[in-house]
Amino acid sequence: MRERSEHVLEAEDLLRWSYVAFGDGDEVHQSCDGVELVQAAHGRSTRTRVAGGPEFFSSWPGVVDAWLVEMLRPVDLLARVAVSSITGDRLVRMTATPLGNEPSPYNGFSIPDGRTLAMSLDMERGCFTGAAVTRPGCDALTFTVTHVE
């Protein structure tokens, strides 16, 4: 069974953002205006004040799905993997394995469980546009970023 979801992030900065995740008939909305974090799902919403400054749990890298953070912040991911091959110029294709020496703050692609990564880094946009995660005994997972402004 193939599962598909769509994630939309609009971020002015770390504390001014909105995020929506759609999938399996479910929809989750989260946003922060720099003062208040709002989360809405399953007909319920919660509001939490942001304490004094950029707190990890109020900034968008602390809230959105881990794979999206690592796609949009390639240096974070590249610091946690051993790259085994690189090809290309503007669209750089690479394969890698997690180092396992430092846990990712996002628990995304770099979990050291025997997985291998095949990724496409768009040098013009400055982000990964595609990633495939292969784990022993599991179906491959694919992730794609389709639009970046």
Side-chain angles (χ1 to χ4, degrees):
M1 173 190 269
R2 186 171 176 97
E3 185 178 318
R4 182 177 171 86
S5 62
E6 181 178 346
H7 302 255
V8 178
L9 171 67
E10 295 179 9
E12 184 179 323
D13 58 36
L14 285 175
L15 284 179
R16 287 167 190 76
W17 53 267
S18 67
Y19 174 65
V20 181
F22 308 92
D24 287 339
D26 200 17
E27 194 171 310
V28 176
H29 295 262
Q30 299 180 57
S31 64
C32 186
D33 62 4
V35 176
E36 189 173 59
L37 176 67
V38 178
Q39 298 174 311
H42 311 291
R44 297 180 180 165
S45 70
T46 59
R47 297 176 176 275
T48 309
R49 288 195 57 75
V50 174
E55 301 294 327
F56 179 74
F57 294 106
S58 298
S59 65
W60 68 263
V63 174
V64 304
D65 282 339
W67 67 267
L68 183 58
V69 174
E70 289 187 335
M71 296 284 279
L72 297 176
R73 297 174 63 128
V75 173
D76 288 354
L77 177 59
L78 290 172
R80 292 175 175 79
V81 298
V83 176
S84 53
S85 71
I86 298 176
T87 59
D89 186 14
R90 287 188 191 154
L91 183 63
V92 177
R93 298 186 192 285
M94 61 184 73
T95 57
T97 55
L99 291 171
N101 63 348
E102 181 180 346
S104 168
Y106 319 113
N107 290 324
F109 296 144
S110 56
I111 297 170
D113 62 357
R115 64 183 57 194
T116 57
L117 309 172
M119 304 171 291
S120 300
L121 178 62
D122 186 323
M123 298 299 286
E124 290 182 12
R125 291 194 238 175
C127 68
F128 287 109
T129 54
V133 179
T134 306
R135 296 179 296 163
C138 298
D139 291 336
L141 302 171
T142 57
F143 302 86
T144 307
V145 171
T146 57
H147 184 77
V148 176
E149 289 183 8

